[in-house]
Amino acid sequence: MVNRIGGLVSGMDVDGLVKKMMATQRAPLDKLFQKKQIAEWQRDAYRAVNTKIQTFDTYMADNLVLKELNSKTAASSNSKLVDAKATGSATGTISVEEVKQLASAGRLIGAQKHESATGSTKLSELGVQAGSTIEINAIQSNGLLAEGDTKINITEDMTIDQFISKVNSSNAGVTALFENGRFSFTAKNTGDVKDGPEIVLTGADALGFSADDLFNPDASKKAKIIEGQNALFTVNGIETERTTNQISISGYNLTLKEKFDQDTPVSISATSNIDEMVDKVKDFVKTYNEFVKDLTNQTKETRYSDYPPLTEEQRKELSESEVKLWDEKAKSGLLSRDSILRAGLSNMRSLIYQSNPGVEDSNFDTLFKIGITTTKNYNDGGMLEIDEDKLRKALTENPEAVEQLLTSTGDANGTVTKVDSSTGVEITVEADTRGFVKKIRDSLTSFKLAIETKAGRSNMSEDKFAIGRDLKSTVERMDNLKRRLETIEQTYWKQFTAMEQAMNKASEQASIFM
């Protein structure tokens, strides 16, 4: 470190002179700083686009993949007997001719031997020892008894209410109750376990479930076993048995509500909800257009090359409002004319015009045929518009074909069977059978990967993506240049210090001569 003498003899503003001289030397470092700042802004802009891609993809998954586009409404000829709801796959009419028996849950009712007990009574007062365990096995939704039991550990001073609460909040598969001196356990799942009980209690003898309690001579007080039973019904002439009254069959979700005989059959049918389907398509087009418009605008945003990022020194010289306005200009057009965004948008746009050979009805195998086209303004970047009358007509005539065109999973390398026009023979040919939504989602995946190759993700090291490697190289160059500038600054100070020392010596000699 050079001992600095700042113009004590010469009277010069050495510190100011050095700063001015260093400002010239620092110009290359400022250029590198600005380059680094632009790269960081651009990286963040790319990642913001990927966030929007993910948001759009999630929207499609939630609204057009997990939920069926073909919304149907079920009609039951007697909803008091059989209630019905239709899924998108509901087809035809089904008839429930008879319900002989409704499914019910198994139940164990303990003996009435604790008449004086209340919810605050301790289990120890009923003869249940602290440290003991009550094990519970109950019927599962598949109609089988659970293999693993649920253990309820009895702690010291545990009350009846605490025990009931612990059972009901567990995964035992039962609902426990204590009332009028008796315990009861009811299976949460209905149905009959073939060749076995629906609930098994182990270690609960003191609660009124011992063998003696079952055979108590006082019938009003003895323990009871109420067996669960399956639903027995006939649908389209087929006698059927299920463990529950909620039944999924042929695309319908039925709820058996009462028993009835063959004299009062219940007919179930479904119709497509055209209004709801139109609304879903319109919402998708609206979301698609917002996404396309946003990215198109970014590729067209003006780039102000005369507004490079401000250095710290430059920021100090401007007011807060001036800095804000400058930054807005400096950050504008970071992705202007960007090749990755333009390619991604172009790929999406090309999918709009493709037909789908996988759609069985060729009258509805393109978006155009169901009333969805691009806007006439090329500058819109491929935004969509809907001829609602045409869409409604297509949905009315063949809703399944429209659903297949839009949301079928299909395969990019799939196959379809068609008749050779020259020979009349059926042949199998390769074809892209993906629905439009699946094509868009696959296109977005490629789009997203291209951006990650350029700008990475927040959890990726800089070596893994292009901008990161450039940033790393720029930072290394900046560090080297900073070390070089420190050496130059020391040299300047050394020179001025030597000048001051020489002038001081000359002054001393002049004083001697005087």
Side-chain angles (χ1 to χ4, degrees):
M1 183 69 181
V2 177
N3 291 324
R4 298 180 177 182
I5 301 176
L8 293 176
V9 179
S10 65
M12 298 170 61
D13 181 9
V14 176
D15 189 59
L17 287 171
V18 171
K19 283 185 178 180
K20 289 180 180 178
M21 295 168 71
M22 287 304 299
T24 302
Q25 296 289 348
R26 196 178 295 277
L29 181 62
D30 291 341
K31 291 288 186 184
L32 288 175
F33 165 79
Q34 291 167 338
K35 178 182 178 182
K36 172 176 171 288
Q37 182 65 82
I38 290 173
E40 289 174 341
W41 285 344
Q42 194 174 52
R43 175 201 62 196
D44 295 343
Y46 275 124
R47 291 180 180 178
V49 170
N50 257 359
T51 299
K52 291 173 182 176
I53 290 175
Q54 185 60 51
T55 299
F56 182 39
D57 184 67
T58 301
Y59 161 82
M60 289 188 287
D62 290 345
N63 294 280
L64 297 168
V65 178
L66 297 178
K67 296 179 182 177
E68 294 171 312
L69 173 67
N70 192 354
S71 174
K72 293 186 176 181
T73 301
S76 169
S77 62
N78 191 337
S79 59
K80 291 182 179 180
L81 300 179
V82 181
D83 190 29
K85 296 187 184 310
T87 67
S89 59
T91 55
T93 300
I94 63 173
S95 175
V96 181
E97 287 95 8
E98 181 182 18
V99 175
K100 292 181 180 179
Q101 177 175 285
L102 293 175
S104 61
R107 177 176 294 162
L108 297 181
I109 304 172
Q112 190 177 38
K113 57 191 296 185
H114 308 297
E115 290 93 334
S116 61
T118 65
S120 60
T121 302
K122 296 178 183 178
L123 291 182
S124 58
E125 296 176 30
L126 307 183
V128 183
Q129 295 183 349
S132 63
T133 300
I134 294 177
E135 299 176 358
I136 306 172
N137 297 68
I139 185 174
Q140 304 173 103
S141 59
N142 60 4
L144 301 176
L145 192 69
E147 294 183 2
D149 51 40
T150 298
K151 295 178 172 60
I152 306 297
N153 297 317
I154 307 304
T155 59
E156 190 174 357
D157 297 331
M158 178 181 279
T159 65
I160 291 175
D161 281 347
Q162 290 171 339
F163 170 72
I164 295 294
S165 176
K166 196 166 186 178
V167 171
N168 290 340
S169 62
S170 72
N171 294 321
V174 298
T175 299
L177 178 71
F178 179 80
E179 185 65 34
N180 194 24
R182 314 179 81 145
F183 287 90
S184 79
F185 292 83
T186 304
K188 291 183 178 179
N189 293 307
T190 57
D192 173 33
V193 174
K194 300 298 183 183
D195 302 320
E198 285 72 55
I199 304 174
V200 176
L201 297 180
T202 305
D205 287 359
L207 300 182
F209 296 97
S210 67
D212 290 340
D213 291 321
L214 287 169
F215 296 100
N216 190 317
D218 187 345
S220 65
K221 293 188 176 182
K222 72 178 183 179
K224 300 177 183 178
I225 298 175
I226 299 175
E227 295 182 352
Q229 60 185 25
N230 292 340
L232 302 176
F233 60 101
T234 303
V235 58
N236 283 15
I238 303 172
E239 293 186 357
T240 307
E241 182 176 0
R242 297 286 178 87
T243 61
T244 175
N245 295 314
Q246 282 73 45
I247 298 149
S248 295
I249 187 167
S250 192
Y252 292 95
N253 294 325
L254 306 181
T255 300
L256 307 181
K257 301 172 77 173
E258 292 183 19
K259 294 190 294 182
F260 60 91
D261 56 30
Q262 295 178 350
D263 294 334
T264 55
V266 178
S267 177
I268 310 294
S269 59
T271 55
S272 293
N273 190 331
I274 303 302
D275 288 340
E276 190 171 325
M277 294 174 72
V278 169
D279 287 342
K280 285 182 179 180
V281 174
K282 288 168 71 174
D283 189 65
F284 164 69
V285 169
K286 176 176 175 288
T287 306
Y288 177 93
N289 286 345
E290 288 172 349
F291 175 75
V292 169
K293 183 178 180 181
D294 186 352
L295 268 57
T296 300
N297 287 344
Q298 289 193 55
T299 64
K300 295 179 178 180
E301 196 173 48
T302 303
R303 182 80 186 118
Y304 297 97
S305 57
D306 293 337
Y307 287 82
L310 294 170
T311 64
E312 287 302 319
E313 291 297 324
Q314 291 170 332
R315 287 180 179 277
K316 293 175 183 178
E317 297 173 1
L318 300 175
S319 67
E320 186 176 339
S321 60
E322 289 174 330
V323 168
K324 182 179 178 181
L325 291 171
W326 187 286
D327 283 346
E328 288 177 359
K329 294 280 189 181
K331 292 180 180 180
S332 175
L334 291 169
L335 301 180
S336 178
R337 303 179 64 81
D338 182 77
S339 60
I340 297 177
L341 265 62
R342 294 172 76 177
L345 289 168
S346 177
N347 288 339
M348 291 175 60
R349 192 161 50 244
S350 68
L351 300 175
I352 298 170
Y353 309 104
Q354 295 179 6
S355 63
N356 187 340
V359 178
E360 295 177 5
D361 189 340
S362 60
N363 291 317
F364 306 101
D365 62 357
T366 65
L367 294 181
F368 169 77
K369 291 178 180 178
I370 66 168
I372 301 175
T373 58
T374 55
T375 60
K376 295 179 176 59
N377 188 348
Y378 178 79
N379 291 326
D380 286 344
M383 291 169 60
L384 301 176
E385 60 183 6
I386 300 175
D387 181 337
E388 189 170 331
D389 291 339
K390 195 171 183 179
L391 176 61
R392 283 183 177 276
K393 185 174 183 295
L395 288 169
T396 302
E397 292 181 7
N398 197 335
E400 287 78 16
V402 175
E403 182 179 41
Q404 192 175 14
L405 172 66
L406 293 175
T407 63
S408 170
T409 53
D411 192 340
N413 300 308
T415 58
V416 294
T417 301
K418 58 186 298 186
V419 177
D420 190 319
S421 58
S422 59
T423 63
V425 177
E426 285 191 348
I427 57 173
T428 300
V429 296
E430 290 188 0
D432 185 348
T433 59
R434 294 173 297 166
F436 180 64
V437 170
K438 180 68 164 61
K439 290 178 180 179
I440 289 291
R441 296 189 72 198
D442 289 348
S443 174
L444 291 179
T445 298
S446 300
F447 195 175
K448 187 176 178 182
L449 290 174
I451 289 177
E452 287 180 359
T453 301
K454 179 79 171 181
R457 300 186 304 273
S458 59
N459 59 350
M460 288 176 65
S461 66
E462 290 183 332
D463 292 329
K464 300 297 184 180
F465 57 98
I467 292 179
R469 290 188 291 271
D470 288 344
L471 279 170
K472 186 176 181 180
S473 174
T474 301
V475 169
E476 289 174 354
R477 291 173 62 192
M478 289 176 69
D479 290 341
N480 291 334
L481 188 51
K482 285 176 183 177
R483 287 191 289 270
R484 180 169 170 270
L485 290 174
E486 287 174 0
T487 301
I488 292 173
E489 186 174 12
Q490 288 178 8
T491 300
Y492 285 151
W493 274 105
K494 186 175 181 180
Q495 290 172 345
F496 277 111
T497 299
M499 181 192 74
E500 291 289 333
Q501 289 172 341
M503 291 179 69
N504 185 50
K505 186 174 182 180
S507 177
E508 289 175 352
Q509 290 175 346
S511 296
I512 293 172
F513 288 127
M514 290 293 292

